[in-house]
Amino acid sequence: MNIAYPEIVVAATAFVVLVGDMFMTERARVALAPLSALGLALGIAVTALFTPASGELLGGRFAMDPVAWWFKIAFMVAALVSVVLSMDTLDGRARVRARGMGFRGEYYMVLLSSVVGMMLLVSARDLATLFVSLEVATLPLFVLAAWRRDDPKSGEAGLKYVILGALASAFIGYGFSILYGLARSTDLDIIAHSVSGEYTPAFLLAVALVLAGTGFKLTVVPFHMWAADVYQGAPTPVTAYLSVASKAAGLAFAFQVLFRLFGNWLPQWGMLIAVFAALTMTLGNVVAIVQHNVKRFMAYSAISQAGYFLLGFLGSANEGVPAMLFYLVVYVVSNLAAFACIVWFANETGKEQIEDYRGLSLTNPLVALAMMVALFSLAGIPPLSGFVGKFFLFNIASKAGYHWLVALAAVNSTISLYYYLRVVRQMYIEPVDAEASTPGVSRNVGVTLALLSLAIVVLGIVPTFYERIHASTVAWLLSLSAG
């Protein structure tokens, strides 16, 4: 039972927040954000200190392993930072108030519910649990994207997200039903052994449908079409959460599908994965060059990062799994640092264009420095953690013989540096607006930015984190072999 303590803590927090919102006065509801943050911090502590790294519940349908452990930590950290970044907007402390951002209790409850779904997703061990937990994780995201009820763009983002998300869920559900028909079981390990023979038309159709749905969740080209409009239309704190949580959930689902369901076939699909990785990296980076809205810009940046993640599936799982997990941690920290600056800037100025950041180094030098560090980490500049994470992934592709893909990834990293430098140029070279003021930074945003910036640097120069991830995933790989 204790392997489910993290989910219980977060779910209980969501319930307490919802009930508390019903009985609190409007003035007292300012405590809901700290309460949500406290619940997530408690969930992280329980996971780190009291949750065993392996175990099963519900007849094996729910399991904990080292990979799930790392994913759950990443989900809760992403949610915790997102809650902190949402405080100023929802509590009305932003200089430029966003209309239609009320209902704080429901907001935090919905966000916490999506975290519970993601945590269940990575522990699922049969088709039904996996599909239901995927829906529990993604349905709240549709609601959050449309949270600003007075903003047509937010409504449009929610509508597009729910339509395309429903299509992806239909693909996955139909693919799962075919796999169930072939294996006559919902157990992932039994299905993996039952369909490991020859290709059949039914199996190929199931693979195509499930991989298409997975590509949508991970924003892999050509299933990325929802990202830019949803990122731009969603409230900025929600975009910050979407950019990391949905990516982490997509990677967790890809782990379940590619390693547990189709692990026996994965070595034969190397070239297919390499082509998708090349397309995703290149399109994301090239299109990001011409973006002016900073949220669309970060959307295409996130698409290109999905291409880098795919490199980890090309080599042996011994190296690919820890490399992808480490890069996930790096991506979560770096992207949230960049979005912490974007959320703060939007709260203080109401502006979202890249050109609006001109002269930021003069008005708020520490925020500009944090933004530059985060963008350079995403670009892969040494010695920041983004460089180390990309190095591990490139190394895997090179060892697998995909030297052309490594060369293309290096070119794409150079392209990404160019467009990240567009923001840095606005902050450090372009003159500041004559009418620009010097907005202050709230304590919660300042502390968050400082911790995230420190983490970006420490993850890049201290090898302990990668070594621990690598050591802990050995047990997960052994369990896959035994299964």
Side-chain angles (χ1 to χ4, degrees):
M1 185 66 182
N2 52 353
I3 64 170
Y5 281 167
E7 286 84 354
I8 293 172
V9 169
V10 179
T13 305
F15 180 75
V16 170
V17 167
L18 182 63
V19 173
D21 182 62
M22 295 169 62
F23 297 101
M24 284 179 170
T25 63
E26 182 61 27
R27 190 171 183 179
R29 286 183 180 130
V30 73
L32 293 173
L35 181 61
S36 304
L38 181 64
L40 289 164
L42 183 61
I44 294 170
V46 167
T47 306
L49 301 176
F50 303 111
T51 305
S54 62
E56 291 184 352
L57 278 178
L58 306 174
R61 291 178 176 82
F62 179 90
M64 174 65 98
D65 55 49
V67 168
W69 191 93
W70 281 103
F71 268 114
K72 290 179 184 183
I73 292 287
F75 294 147
M76 287 185 282
V77 168
L80 175 59
V81 175
S82 301
V83 167
V84 173
L85 295 180
S86 301
M87 286 182 183
D88 291 342
T89 306
L90 289 169
D91 293 343
R93 293 195 294 267
R95 181 180 292 187
V96 179
R97 295 193 176 187
R99 292 180 303 165
M101 282 291 289
F103 308 108
R104 282 175 281 188
E106 290 91 335
Y107 176 89
Y108 294 120
M109 188 276 293
V110 170
L111 191 150
L112 292 169
S113 300
S114 81
V115 178
V116 174
M118 291 173 192
M119 295 167 73
L120 294 173
L121 165 69
V122 76
S123 284
R125 290 295 179 270
D126 72 10
L127 289 181
T129 312
L130 184 60
F131 186 77
V132 171
S133 57
L134 179 67
E135 294 306 300
V136 173
T138 53
L139 287 176
L141 299 181
F142 303 153
V143 178
L144 288 173
W147 198 261
R148 284 189 66 178
R149 63 185 186 279
D150 295 339
D151 184 359
K153 286 185 178 178
S154 183
E156 180 186 349
L159 187 60
K160 285 182 177 177
Y161 200 12
V162 74
I163 290 174
L164 293 173
L167 185 64
S169 295
F171 282 169
I172 294 171
Y174 192 38
F176 278 3
S177 67
I178 295 174
L179 291 174
Y180 172 74
L182 293 173
R184 298 181 180 180
S185 173
T186 59
D187 187 283
L188 298 183
D189 293 330
I190 293 175
I191 294 172
H193 287 293
S194 300
V195 299
S196 59
E198 295 182 356
Y199 287 110
T200 62
F203 175 66
L204 287 174
L205 178 60
V207 169
L209 291 169
V210 173
L211 292 186
T214 308
F216 173 89
K217 305 298 181 186
L218 206 52
T219 62
V220 173
V221 173
F223 309 105
H224 66 288
M225 69 291 286
W226 61 274
D229 290 341
V230 173
Y231 274 45
Q232 183 179 5
T236 309
V238 173
T239 307
Y241 180 63
L242 280 175
S243 70
V244 291
S246 69
K247 186 77 67 185
L251 186 64
F253 188 73
F255 268 45
Q256 296 279 39
V257 167
L258 292 176
F259 286 126
R260 288 199 177 277
L261 266 182
F262 304 135
N264 295 324
W265 300 93
L266 190 58
Q268 302 176 30
W269 299 346
M271 182 54 71
L272 181 67
I273 294 173
V275 170
F276 277 116
L279 290 173
T280 305
M281 281 187 285
T282 305
L283 186 138
N285 283 319
V286 170
V287 178
I289 294 175
V290 297
Q291 300 303 314
H292 293 278
N293 182 284
V294 72
K295 287 160 70 177
R296 291 186 73 87
F297 168 84
M298 292 302 292
Y300 285 103
S301 165
I303 291 169
S304 69
Q305 299 293 337
Y308 298 124
F309 275 114
L310 290 181
L311 300 183
F313 291 106
L314 294 175
S316 69
N318 292 338
E319 295 182 344
V321 170
M324 285 187 282
L325 276 177
F326 179 75
Y327 196 62
L328 174 66
V329 174
V330 169
Y331 173 78
V332 167
V333 171
S334 302
N335 222 48
L336 283 176
F339 264 104
C341 301
I342 294 170
V343 170
W344 165 81
F345 193 77
N347 283 344
E348 295 300 321
T349 67
K351 298 176 179 176
E352 294 182 349
Q353 299 299 307
I354 293 175
E355 291 74 15
D356 296 328
Y357 285 73
R358 58 180 175 270
L360 185 63
S361 64
L362 297 175
T363 57
N364 289 87
L366 292 179
V367 174
L369 177 63
M371 183 75 160
M372 184 176 68
V373 169
L375 294 179
F376 279 178
S377 178
L378 290 171
I381 299 296
L384 300 174
S385 51
F387 167 78
V388 181
K390 283 185 178 177
F391 174 79
F392 288 137
L393 292 172
F394 290 7
N395 188 43
I396 290 167
S398 177
K399 283 185 177 178
Y402 294 95
H403 303 296
W404 64 271
L405 185 59
V406 175
L408 184 63
V411 171
N412 270 289
S413 290
T414 308
I415 296 173
S416 71
L417 178 60
Y418 169 75
Y419 65 72
Y420 288 131
L421 280 173
R422 287 178 56 210
V423 182
V424 176
R425 175 188 169 188
Q426 294 295 331
M427 294 190 299
Y428 280 90
I429 297 178
E430 295 297 325
V432 66
D433 254 345
E435 300 176 355
S437 59
T438 306
V441 179
S442 62
R443 183 181 301 173
N444 53 313
V445 172
V447 172
T448 304
L449 267 178
L451 292 176
L452 291 173
S453 301
L454 182 64
I456 290 171
V457 177
V458 170
L459 285 169
I461 60 178
V462 178
T464 307
F465 297 96
Y466 176 77
E467 289 174 353
R468 184 173 176 191
I469 290 173
H470 190 280
S472 62
T473 52
V474 170
W476 184 78
L477 295 167
L478 289 175
S479 74
L480 276 184
S481 304

